[in-house]
């Protein structure tokens, strides 16, 4: 709070990332504790409190306590985001953000836990719980994006529209629609690529040159052409299905290790999803550079993006495990190495102190 605005932002973002990791670990630990002694504790408690219904007590403790705690933490975090990141969210915005950020992943994980608890008992109803968990996770992500202000507005003309279709033709990417996303109260600054579509926030033209915007469009076209979004979901679903099958078949052997297995059930699919996402970001960067044939411009585009958002250019490897995008320094190094840029030029592009230990 005593730092200047830019320093407050760059210092708050790493803390914010760590809070999300801690919350995820807390939910996993809660499930592990529940398997270890939580349900038995509630049963013992209801024996002494005859007026307390055991089923309702278990449901409230298993679902209510973690959900209520995470909602409170998220509400505090988004309130601090409004201060440190200069968001113009209203109080209703904060409530919506905290709610949907809790739905995915916390509520989805609890449904996942219910499914695996059924598998441990050789009950196929666990499949239903897993399907519900997947639906809840997807709904939570979509509603969170809307709460953040991501509203797609299709464009039928303009420079972005023309460049997108020209570049799509060059890369033989089937493109049907181009969208602009208003930056809005959340100051969104991003670009998105999906099946036959790309979207760019309306503030990109303020800090990117035409060549840099071409790289961003090429990057998103790379995602769209390779169907990265679909691949991430399918591979992650396959990982969860494989773990579920193992838990069903090996449940008698897993009984002493169920709390540890619970933690793995939470972290393995999530880390897989993040790993794939980072790999696909490198692949999309390569696609953008291949299209523009200008790796230095690509690095400058990423640097401008980080400067406008005041995001740190580097993060430690542990934190990056829980991020969808690699740090700027690692992305720049990968672009530089693939594009034949010397380490000196890469250092010059993003700052020598930040990149010196990442380039070879």
């Amino acid at each position: 709070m005593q730092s200047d605005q830019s320093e407050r932002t760059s210092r708050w973002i790493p803390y914010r990332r760590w809070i999300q990791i801690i919350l995820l670990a807390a939910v996993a630990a809660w499930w592990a504790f529940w398997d270890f002694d939580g349900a038995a504790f509630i049963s013992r408690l209801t024996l002494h409190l005859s007026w307390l219904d055991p089923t309702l007590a278990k449901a409230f403790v298993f679902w209510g306590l973690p959900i209520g705690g995470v909602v409170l933490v998220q509400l505090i975090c988004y309130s601090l985001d409004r201060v440190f990141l200069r968001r113009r969210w209203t109080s209703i915005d904060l409530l919506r953000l905290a709610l949907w950020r809790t739905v995915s992943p916390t509520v989805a994980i609890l449904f996942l836990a219910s499914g695996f608890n059924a598998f441990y008992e050789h009950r196929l109803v666990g499949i239903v719980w897993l399907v519900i968990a997947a639906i809840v996770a997807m709904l939570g992500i979509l509603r969170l994006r809307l709460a953040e202000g991501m509203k797609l507005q299709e464009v039928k003309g303009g420079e972005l529209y023309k460049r997108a279709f020209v570049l799509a033709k060059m890369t033989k990417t089937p493109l049907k629609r181009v969208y602009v996303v208003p930056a809005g109260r959340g100051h969104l600054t991003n670009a998105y690529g999906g099946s036959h579509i790309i979207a760019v926030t309306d503030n990109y033209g303020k800090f990117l040159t035409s060549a840099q915007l071409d790289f961003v469009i090429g990057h998103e076209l790379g995602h769209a052409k390779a169907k990265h979004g679909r691949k991430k979901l399918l591979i992650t679903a396959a990982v969860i299905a494989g773990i579920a099958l193992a838990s069903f078949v090996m449940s008698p052997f897993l009984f002493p290790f169920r709390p540890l297995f619970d933690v793995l059930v939470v972290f393995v699919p999530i880390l897989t999803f993040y790993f794939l996402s980072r790999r696909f970001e490198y692949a999309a960067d390569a696609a953008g550079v291949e299209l523009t044939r200008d790796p230095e411009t690509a690095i400058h585009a990423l640097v401008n993006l980080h400067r406008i958002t005041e995001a740190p250019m580097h993060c430690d490897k542990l934190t990056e495990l829980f991020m969808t995008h690699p740090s700027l320094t690692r992305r720049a190094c990968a672009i530089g190495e693939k594009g034949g840029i010397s380490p000196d030029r890469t250092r010059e592009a993003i700052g020598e102190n930040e990149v010196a230990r990442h380039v070879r």
Side-chain angles (χ1 to χ4, degrees):
M1 290 296 292
Q2 296 175 353
S3 307
D4 59 43
Q5 181 60 55
S6 178
E7 187 178 355
R8 280 193 292 176
T9 300
S10 61
R11 293 179 67 181
W12 168 243
I13 291 175
Y15 282 117
R16 188 71 161 91
R17 291 169 178 167
W18 266 104
I19 289 170
Q20 299 309 315
I21 296 172
I22 292 169
L23 285 178
L24 186 64
V27 175
W30 175 253
W31 178 17
F33 164 75
W34 187 263
D35 259 358
F36 179 71
D37 192 54
F41 171 77
I42 296 300
S43 298
R44 292 193 299 269
L45 182 64
T46 53
L47 287 176
H48 294 86
L49 301 175
S50 57
W51 53 271
L52 193 61
D53 181 77
T55 302
L56 290 178
K58 287 182 179 179
F60 172 77
V61 174
F62 180 74
W63 294 86
L65 291 184
I67 291 174
V70 172
V71 166
L72 179 60
V73 173
Q74 296 291 4
L75 189 58
I76 294 171
C77 286
Y78 278 114
S79 299
L80 292 173
D81 283 347
R82 186 165 61 174
V83 175
F84 295 138
L85 307 181
R86 301 188 298 279
R87 304 297 189 243
R88 292 182 288 111
W89 291 321
T90 65
S91 297
I92 297 299
D93 291 334
L94 296 179
L95 288 171
R96 291 172 60 213
L97 288 162
L99 171 64
W100 292 115
R101 183 68 173 179
T102 302
V103 168
S104 183
T106 300
V107 177
I109 289 174
L110 294 176
F111 276 111
L112 188 76
S114 299
F116 272 85
N117 286 337
F119 290 140
Y120 293 152
E121 299 170 2
H122 268 261
R123 293 186 292 121
L124 290 176
V125 71
I127 297 174
V128 177
W129 287 109
L130 261 60
V131 171
I132 295 174
I135 294 172
V136 168
M138 294 301 299
L139 177 64
I141 291 172
L142 292 174
R143 297 300 299 182
L144 177 62
R145 295 294 174 262
L146 290 174
E148 290 172 340
M150 184 178 170
K151 299 177 181 178
L152 300 177
Q153 298 180 356
E154 187 176 357
V155 294
K156 296 290 189 178
E159 186 63 24
L160 173 64
Y161 179 87
K162 294 176 183 177
R163 292 302 300 160
F165 276 94
V166 168
L167 296 174
K169 186 176 181 179
M170 291 173 59
T171 58
K172 299 180 181 180
T173 303
L175 182 65
K176 294 181 179 179
R177 295 181 181 86
V178 177
Y179 295 94
V180 168
V181 180
R185 293 193 294 269
H187 300 303
L188 292 177
T189 303
N190 212 334
Y192 313 88
S195 180
H196 307 302
I197 70 164
I198 68 165
V200 179
T201 51
D202 60 6
N203 56 357
Y204 254 85
K206 298 177 182 178
F207 60 90
L208 292 182
T209 65
S210 296
Q212 291 169 0
L213 184 58
D214 282 352
F215 164 75
V216 171
I217 295 172
H219 175 100
E220 300 307 329
L221 289 173
H223 282 311
K225 184 177 182 179
K227 297 180 173 60
H228 286 159
R230 184 181 305 175
K231 289 178 181 177
K232 281 189 293 187
L233 293 177
L234 289 176
I235 294 174
T236 304
V239 169
I240 294 174
I243 298 173
L245 179 62
S247 69
F248 186 83
V249 173
M250 301 173 59
S251 57
F253 307 99
L254 289 175
F255 182 77
F257 310 103
R258 273 175 56 172
L260 176 60
F261 195 78
D262 294 341
V263 175
L264 294 177
V265 171
V266 173
F267 279 101
V268 170
I270 289 176
L271 291 176
T272 298
F273 181 86
Y274 285 140
F275 172 79
L276 292 171
S277 183
R278 292 193 302 275
R279 292 300 99 188
F280 291 155
E281 288 302 319
Y282 285 125
D285 283 345
V289 172
E290 183 179 356
L291 174 64
T292 60
R293 300 185 183 280
D294 191 348
E296 212 163 341
T297 293
I299 294 174
H300 285 301
L302 295 176
V303 169
N304 286 341
L305 171 62
H306 278 70
R307 284 176 179 166
I308 200 69
T309 59
E310 298 177 307
M313 294 188 178
H314 174 65
C315 71
D316 60 89
K317 290 186 178 181
L318 178 60
T319 303
E320 194 175 273
L321 289 176
F322 295 88
M323 292 171 55
T324 57
H325 289 60
S327 66
L328 170 64
T329 50
R330 292 190 177 92
R331 290 178 73 178
C333 290
I335 291 172
E337 290 175 4
K338 194 172 184 65
I341 298 178
S342 68
D344 288 339
R345 286 171 62 192
T346 304
R347 293 190 187 100
E348 184 180 349
I350 65 174
E352 183 165 350
N353 290 336
E354 289 291 336
V355 78
R357 59 182 176 275
H358 297 285
V359 291
R360 297 170 186 169

